[in-house]
């Protein structure tokens, strides 16, 4: 896309969400429908990340949060879980330099210490390398669950109260949100879920309190740049009132 085309596109998509969250569902079905093993669907889904990240970054979206592995995904058969871990590791090894060049800052959301050591190490290395970049904030949900995240925040607050660093009266919504993995980032404005299901599945529950929700039947590996643009366009036309009244 030329600079002029990009300008025209971002003009058409105003207001853009500051923070987009994506529940990337449908990899398994994408593969099964083609008579392929599910792992091929996850690989095809990983290929789609490049375009979506690029477009988010080019349009000037501040943050993109991706649900890659939930706290519930451990229930899948071990070979599939192991394949996903290999894919994450390969992704960090292969893509980090390009993301770094594009000024993308990677952050893991979730309890990554519970992941296999090699995956955790690559993830930490990616965060270390790109952490001070000033472009798109790319949050990757790995062993992530909204309830586990909330529990983590509650424990951290309780610890600070016990040690005398914090008074109960000083806890407010802002200080609570700062204890989440997305500390310092704006709330999620738009959640997109591919793959036909219409639920949040424990994804960014507090950050998405006022998010617009877009559910599409398109399977994640088929979710093209054009599909993403159409979702952003739909978002631009939504009427957000945050509990207030129109025009007030
Ligand atoms: C859901 O599809 C998808 C996942 C559990 C994994 C999402 C992971 C990727 C797109 C891989 C790459 C991510 C990174 C960050 C490298 P599903 O298996 O539930 O599909 P189904 O509902 O059709 O079975």
């Amino acid at each position: 896309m030329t600079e002029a085309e990009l300008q025209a596109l971002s003009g058409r998509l105003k207001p853009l969400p500051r923070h987009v969250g994506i529940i990337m569902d449908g990899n398994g079905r994408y593969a099964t429908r083609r008579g392929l093993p599910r792992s091929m669907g996850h690989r095809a889904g990983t290929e789609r990340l490049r375009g979506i990240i690029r477009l988010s970054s080019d349009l000037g979206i501040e943050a993109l949060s991706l649900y890659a592995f939930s706290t519930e995904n451990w229930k899948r058969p071990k070979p599939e879980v192991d394949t996903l871990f290999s894919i994450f590791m390969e992704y960090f090894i292969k893509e980090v330099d390009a993301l770094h060049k594009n000024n993308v800052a990677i952050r893991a959301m979730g309890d990554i210490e519970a992941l296999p050591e090699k995956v955790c190490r690559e993830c930490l290395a990616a965060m270390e390398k790109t952490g001070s970049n000033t472009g798109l904030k790319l949050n990757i949900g790995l062993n992530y669950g909204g309830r586990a995240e909330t529990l983590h925040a509650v424990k951290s607050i309780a610890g600070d109260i016990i040690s005398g660093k914090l008074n109960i009266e000083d806890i407010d919504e802002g200080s609570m949100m700062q204890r989440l993995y997305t500390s310092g980032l704006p709330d999620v404005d738009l959640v997109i879920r591919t793959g036909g299901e219409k639920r949040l599945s424990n994804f960014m529950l507090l950050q998405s309190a006022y998010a617009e929700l877009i559910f599409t039947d398109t399977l994640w590996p088929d979710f093209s740049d054009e599909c993403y643009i159409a979702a952003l366009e739909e978002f631009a036309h939504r009427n957000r009132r945050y509990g207030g009244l129109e025009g007030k």
Side-chain angles (χ1 to χ4, degrees):
M1 208 180 301
T2 65
E3 191 55 40
E5 284 167 338
L6 192 61
Q7 288 270 322
L9 180 63
S10 41
R12 205 178 89 211
L13 298 178
K14 282 207 167 76
L16 275 166
R18 292 178 68 193
H19 189 166
V20 178
I22 307 187
I23 304 174
M24 307 175 289
D25 201 3
N27 294 345
R29 277 164 286 163
Y30 174 90
T32 310
R33 284 176 196 173
R34 287 166 173 74
L36 298 168
R38 290 175 57 83
S39 59
M40 296 305 285
H42 294 311
R43 291 197 179 278
T46 307
E47 286 302 312
R48 212 42 310 270
L49 293 179
R50 212 171 291 125
I52 299 294
I53 293 171
R54 184 69 207 228
L55 194 51
S56 304
S57 166
D58 286 353
L59 287 169
I61 289 171
E62 282 175 53
L64 175 66
S65 295
L66 303 171
Y67 209 4
F69 190 85
S70 76
T71 45
E72 288 71 39
N73 284 152
W74 292 101
K75 292 181 204 150
R76 295 189 177 208
K78 186 166 184 311
E80 179 163 345
V81 170
D82 288 344
T83 302
L84 281 167
F85 290 154
S86 303
I87 289 175
F88 300 148
M89 213 171 65
E90 281 168 34
Y91 180 77
F92 286 126
I93 294 172
K94 265 181 30 200
E95 299 289 332
V96 160
D97 285 343
L99 291 168
H100 187 46
K101 261 194 212 125
N102 285 315
N103 201 20
V104 172
I106 300 172
R107 193 192 289 195
M109 297 193 293
D111 179 12
I112 58 167
E113 310 250 309
L115 299 175
E117 207 235 312
K118 284 190 289 189
V119 183
C120 180
R121 205 176 46 227
E122 290 306 333
C123 184
L124 290 170
M127 289 203 279
E128 171 84 38
K129 182 161 190 165
T130 65
S132 49
N133 285 343
T134 54
L136 178 74
K137 309 288 179 230
L138 177 65
N139 304 312
I140 304 185
L142 287 170
N143 197 18
Y144 174 82
R147 286 188 179 175
E149 178 182 40
T150 308
L151 182 64
H152 180 260
V154 168
K155 284 186 176 169
S156 137
I157 291 173
D160 281 357
I161 291 173
I162 289 168
S163 67
K165 274 195 235 156
L166 188 67
N167 294 317
I168 290 186
E169 311 77 60
D170 295 332
I171 305 170
D172 57 13
E173 288 192 12
S175 58
M176 183 186 70
M177 296 302 283
Q178 270 167 31
R179 311 253 172 174
L180 303 180
Y181 295 118
T182 45
S183 159
L185 298 180
D187 276 0
V188 173
D189 298 300
L190 170 64
V191 173
I192 300 170
R193 181 175 186 144
T194 62
E197 311 289 356
K198 295 184 177 62
R199 53 178 172 259
L200 285 176
S201 302
N202 207 9
F203 181 63
M204 303 187 85
L205 300 177
L206 294 180
Q207 298 92 332
S208 299
Y210 285 98
E212 296 297 322
L213 309 177
I214 292 184
F215 299 104
T216 167
D217 288 338
T218 305
L219 305 177
W220 172 249
D222 288 326
F223 192 75
S224 60
D225 287 3
E226 289 69 30
C227 295
Y228 189 31
I229 290 168
L232 294 172
E233 198 155 22
E234 181 174 342
F235 171 84
H237 290 104
R238 294 270 179 103
N239 179 9
R240 303 184 83 197
R241 292 192 298 277
Y242 300 96
L245 296 178
E246 188 126 24
K248 303 258 168 166

